[in-house]
């Protein structure tokens, strides 16, 4: 029999923090979850089952980790804060399908980590993310094309909304385009600040990104060029796309070439980057290349 997760029992988190004299570190984005309903929602959104290999980013004192361990086949939990490692060794001592890894998720060789532990399965990433590096973490997981089936994360509510936003919306940006190119995003729950200790200053949301197999993605010959176009266009979103692209070092084309490609795609000269759908960026990249 597996252990029942117990860190969300009333006062348990505070008891563990007191026992170890733990001090929250703002620089690591530490806001620990307290609410069992939210944890169940994360498990349901990620659709965790006994066959799954899960990587958790930032286990904290192990609250979500206990739930993951209870439902998944095996779990690797990567924590940057060395002060949390002895606490995790204590709170997870009865969960024998969890490996605690001390390190920085941004510096780790994730392909190696997955190859060595997944037994050929695709990984599910699950996390209550440290909000200070939400975008770099997600971009890394998406762009490295690791063998991942889904990413289910707690993020700032506005960031979750940005990931789902489409053309014409003020929330639509480079993150929306990248997330929607690689995955199908869906917000699973909104989570108020009182579900965390300490309380964050912002509302939060759980978002699930189902990674698209290659054949489901928007077709483009030069993916790198398409993302250069997207980043350049959104980097200067108050300018027309033509003006933003013509001055950007990442774009190896002059104004005439860009305009010619835009015309061949039926795009007006004064269009802004935020009006273009992913398919139109792909067509523009193909026309330029
Ligand atoms: N999972 C726990 C929970 O839900 O209660 C803690 C979540 S807390 C929002 C974020 C966690 O990520 C903290 O434990 C923090 O120390 C850790 N962390 C921050 N930056 C990290 C990084 N670069 N690599 C790995 N862990 C990191």
């Amino acid at each position: 029999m597996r252990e029942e997760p117990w860190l969300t029992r009333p006062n348990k988190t505070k008891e563990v923090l007191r026992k170890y004299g733990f001090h929250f570190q703002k620089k690591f984005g530490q806001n620990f979850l307290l609410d069992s309903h939210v944890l169940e929602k994360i498990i349901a959104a990620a659709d965790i089952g006994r066959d799954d290999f899960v990587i958790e980013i930032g286990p904290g004192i192990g609250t979500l980790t206990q739930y993951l361990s209870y439902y998944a086949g095996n779990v690797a939990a990567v924590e940057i804060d060395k002060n949390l490692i002895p606490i995790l060794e204590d709170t997870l001592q009865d969960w024998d399908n969890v490996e605690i890894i001390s390190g920085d998720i941004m510096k780790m060789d994730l392909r190696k980590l997955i190859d060595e532990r997944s037994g050929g399965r695709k990984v599910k990433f699950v996390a209550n993310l440290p909000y200070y590096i939400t975008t770099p973490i997600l971009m890394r997981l998406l762009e490295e094309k690791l063998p991942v089936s889904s990413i289910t994360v707690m993020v700032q509510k506005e960031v979750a909304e940005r990931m789902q936003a489409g053309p014409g919306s003020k929330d639509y940006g480079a993150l929306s385009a990248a997330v929607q190119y690689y995955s199908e995003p869906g917000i699973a729950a909104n989570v108020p600040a009182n579900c965390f200790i300490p309380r964050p200053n912002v509302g939060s949301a759980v978002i699930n990104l189902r990674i698209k197999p290659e054949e489901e993605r928007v077709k483009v010959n030069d993916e790198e060029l398409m993302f250069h176009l997207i980043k350049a266009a959104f980097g200067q979103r108050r300018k027309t796309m033509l003006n933003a692209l013509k001055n950007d070092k990442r774009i190896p084309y002059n104004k005439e070439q860009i305009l010619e490609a835009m015309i061949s795609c039926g795009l007006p000269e004064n269009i802004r980057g935020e009006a273009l759908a992913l398919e139109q960026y792909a067509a523009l990249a193909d026309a330029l290349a």
Side-chain angles (χ1 to χ4, degrees):
M1 262 307 277
R2 294 183 182 209
E3 295 280 332
E4 287 279 350
W6 49 264
L7 273 169
T8 44
R9 281 185 209 147
N11 297 323
K12 206 66 202 166
T13 295
K14 283 180 187 153
E15 196 182 304
V16 169
L17 297 175
R18 214 175 306 118
K19 178 175 166 193
Y20 285 91
F22 179 76
H23 294 289
F24 288 98
Q25 298 224 52
K26 235 185 167 158
K27 68 171 179 183
F28 290 142
Q30 293 174 339
N31 299 93
F32 296 167
L33 270 167
L34 296 167
D35 188 303
S36 57
H37 300 295
V38 175
L39 289 148
E40 292 287 359
K41 279 184 189 164
I42 296 174
I43 298 294
D47 191 22
I48 301 293
R50 289 286 154 89
D51 294 334
D52 286 325
F53 169 49
V54 177
I55 298 182
E56 185 190 6
I57 302 161
I61 62 166
T63 313
L64 173 57
T65 328
Q66 289 190 348
Y67 276 79
L68 291 169
S69 167
Y70 184 70
Y71 289 101
N74 51 313
V75 180
V78 180
E79 176 54 60
I80 197 170
D81 185 351
K82 292 202 163 43
N83 293 327
L84 285 167
I85 303 300
I87 305 183
L88 287 164
E89 280 163 358
D90 179 2
T91 59
L92 299 172
Q93 61 180 311
D94 296 324
W95 276 264
D96 53 15
N97 59 347
V98 179
E99 180 185 1
I100 304 160
I101 301 172
S102 177
D104 180 344
I105 196 75
M106 292 305 291
K107 297 192 178 143
M108 208 154 268
D109 182 344
L110 290 174
R111 196 170 293 279
K112 183 159 170 262
L113 190 149
I114 293 168
D115 284 350
E116 287 173 358
R117 292 162 179 83
S118 68
R121 289 167 294 177
K122 282 193 173 174
V123 183
K124 290 184 174 174
F125 275 91
V126 181
N128 169 18
L129 282 180
Y131 293 175
Y132 76 108
I133 43 166
T134 298
T135 303
I137 291 178
L138 290 177
M139 291 307 289
R140 174 162 190 215
L141 299 185
L142 294 170
E143 284 178 343
E144 271 186 39
K145 302 202 172 96
L146 300 162
V148 178
S149 60
S150 69
I151 302 171
T152 307
V153 282
M154 177 87 70
V155 296
Q156 206 175 314
K157 187 166 176 280
E158 283 71 25
V159 178
E161 283 163 359
R162 260 194 271 149
M163 287 192 233
Q164 282 196 325
S169 145
K170 69 171 175 29
D171 292 333
Y172 182 52
L175 180 66
S176 331
V179 163
Q180 292 165 34
Y181 176 71
Y182 290 111
S183 77
E184 187 187 346
I187 293 180
N190 286 318
V191 182
N194 63 8
C195 294
F196 303 84
I197 178 172
R199 293 181 185 198
N201 298 325
V202 291
S204 302
V206 177
I207 189 162
N208 171 261
L209 312 181
R210 180 190 66 84
I211 304 301
K212 291 178 184 168
E214 193 141 356
E215 60 275 13
E216 267 183 47
R217 288 189 207 143
V218 166
K219 300 279 168 291
V220 60
N221 294 323
D222 188 341
E223 198 179 289
E224 199 183 345
L225 174 61
M226 178 182 74
F227 278 110
H228 283 331
L229 295 174
I230 290 170
K231 284 174 189 163
F234 285 110
Q236 304 203 48
R237 53 191 304 158
R238 290 219 302 265
K239 290 191 175 170
T240 64
M241 187 173 69
L242 180 58
N243 281 334
L245 298 186
K246 82 171 202 282
N247 294 325
D248 196 288
K249 289 196 177 63
R250 290 167 287 197
I251 313 297
Y253 302 100
N254 63 31
K255 186 175 177 183
E256 287 66 39
Q257 290 169 315
I258 298 167
L259 184 58
E260 193 184 323
M262 285 175 65
I263 291 167
S264 78
C265 295
L267 298 171
E269 188 174 338
N270 61 354
I271 197 164
R272 289 177 197 275
E274 65 204 23
L276 265 70
L278 206 43
E279 290 78 2
Q280 291 172 299
Y281 276 109
L284 184 61
D286 282 350
L288 279 167

